[in-house]
Amino acid sequence: MLVSAKEMLTKAKQGKYAVGQFNINNLEWTKAILLTAQECNSPVILGVSEGAGKYMCGYKTIVGMVNGMINELGITVPVALHLDHGSYEACYKCIDAGFSSIMFDGSHYPIEENVAKTTELVKVCAERGMSLEAEVGSIGGEEDGVIGAGECADPDECKMIADLGVTMLAAGIGNIHGKYPANWKGLSFETLAAVQEKTGEMPLVLHGGTGIPEDMIKKAISLGVAKINVNTECQLSFAAATRKYIEEGKDLSGKGFDPRKLLAPGVEAIKATVKEKMELFGSVNKA
Ligand code: 13P
């Protein structure tokens, strides 16, 4: 059964570790992540961007697939199905479809409008027992064609949004989606500490988990980050494994590649990546 991310993040915050959000794009990724969470006895959050939602034939299809897998694979660890960077409209679609968690990315609205829309979603999510993530300050880089400049969040604005009753807060602290450029200045721990000071026990979310050095990840967790999002790293390991399989020429039958065999190395590669992250984030055996 899908669960809200609230309890797993409260526990993570108390235990000073972080729960990984791994984005899904198809059946293979979903299966790889769920099996690894079960093997690691770790809670997990499956992230779905709007683009991935469209690709996988809509949110209802995804809910059916994830619930089916949880059942058929015997997954007993807590699993949250979460909309990643949702627009206001997409949030409502996911609420109706049966997601257990949503992120409303109102960071591009003026703060007053972000507050108004978030307030309304807090109420709807509370009625349904769902968790809600809000964002203040944009996360840099590109996600589904949207390019953020990556400015650091204003701690007072973070407090304003946190006080509305959201479950978790993504605050921009110089993090970027995708690969980090060579001249990246690193995470702003000063901003992170100021945001946490203003927001008390609020679990903080670190987007752009790919490519952040391990010591920075650990420091971010020690300063209050309880959820870390990873997408690009799974993409890179999946692509490398698939490319290798094709280059090694296993098309021996003359009938093209058996799709199940073609995608199997990618699934194994994602499993390894997810396991490595769960160990780094400290969520192993925390289910
Ligand atoms: P990366 O693609 O950089 O791992 O970031 C993922 C993310 O933050 C999804 O919201």
Side-chain angles (χ1 to χ4, degrees):
M1 200 185 75
L2 291 171
V3 297
S4 134
K6 190 176 173 71
E7 192 181 326
M8 59 173 96
L9 294 184
T10 306
K11 280 190 187 160
K13 186 93 195 166
Q14 283 163 359
K16 291 226 176 279
Y17 59 92
V19 178
Q21 172 192 306
F22 301 94
N23 284 42
I24 59 172
N25 287 283
N26 57 22
L27 179 144
E28 284 76 15
W29 289 45
T30 313
K31 178 174 151 189
I33 297 163
L34 287 176
L35 286 173
T36 309
Q38 186 68 23
E39 185 196 315
C40 292
N41 192 28
S42 165
V44 73
I45 299 170
L46 302 177
V48 179
S49 70
E50 287 194 47
K54 284 198 193 99
Y55 176 77
M56 289 185 276
C57 306
Y59 303 119
K60 287 183 187 146
T61 310
I62 298 166
V63 169
M65 175 180 76
V66 173
N67 276 328
M69 277 192 197
I70 289 176
N71 197 315
E72 298 277 352
L73 298 173
I75 305 295
T76 54
V77 296
V79 179
L81 180 59
H82 180 74
L83 172 67
D84 189 26
H85 291 282
S87 62
Y88 182 68
E89 294 74 25
C91 283
Y92 276 99
K93 282 190 186 160
C94 288
I95 291 167
D96 287 342
F99 272 51
S100 62
S101 188
I102 53 174
M103 172 184 188
F104 170 54
D105 184 352
S107 61
H108 49 282
Y109 288 114
I111 187 73
E112 298 77 21
E113 193 166 354
N114 193 356
V115 167
K117 288 189 159 63
T118 304
T119 305
E120 187 187 308
L121 286 166
V122 163
K123 190 165 164 276
V124 179
C125 287
E127 281 163 11
R128 308 223 178 187
M130 293 173 65
S131 42
L132 173 64
E133 176 177 341
E135 176 172 330
V136 180
S138 68
I139 316 290
E142 185 187 334
E143 177 136 316
D144 280 345
V146 180
I147 300 181
E151 93 259 17
C152 279
D154 172 346
D156 289 315
E157 286 190 3
C158 289
K159 179 171 167 45
M160 202 190 293
I161 297 283
D163 286 350
L164 301 175
V166 300
T167 319
M168 49 199 150
L169 187 74
I173 55 166
N175 40 334
I176 296 173
H177 289 127
K179 281 189 165 174
Y180 285 83
N183 62 352
W184 179 52
K185 292 193 194 74
L187 296 176
S188 168
F189 292 113
E190 206 184 357
T191 307
L192 181 58
V195 168
Q196 188 70 91
E197 204 199 312
K198 294 263 181 191
T199 58
E201 286 305 298
M202 175 62 55
L204 302 177
V205 183
L206 184 62
H207 282 246
T210 299
I212 300 178
E214 286 193 21
D215 58 333
M216 285 196 200
I217 292 275
K218 288 190 173 146
K219 188 161 179 190
I221 294 173
S222 77
L223 289 171
V225 164
K227 171 175 176 279
I228 303 178
N229 293 5
V230 178
N231 177 45
T232 304
E233 204 154 332
C234 291
Q235 215 161 291
L236 291 169
S237 60
F238 185 82
T242 310
R243 193 178 303 119
K244 182 162 177 279
Y245 183 85
I246 292 173
E247 279 169 5
E248 284 173 0
K250 296 248 169 70
D251 177 21
L252 300 174
S253 66
K255 290 189 288 186
F257 291 96
D258 174 337
R260 289 172 244 167
K261 291 191 180 143
L262 173 65
L263 298 178
V267 169
E268 290 311 311
I270 290 187
K271 280 186 185 167
T273 301
V274 170
K275 187 171 180 190
E276 192 185 294
K277 295 295 159 196
M278 287 179 166
E279 283 166 358
L280 174 64
F281 301 165
S283 70
V284 174
N285 281 330
K286 299 289 183 353

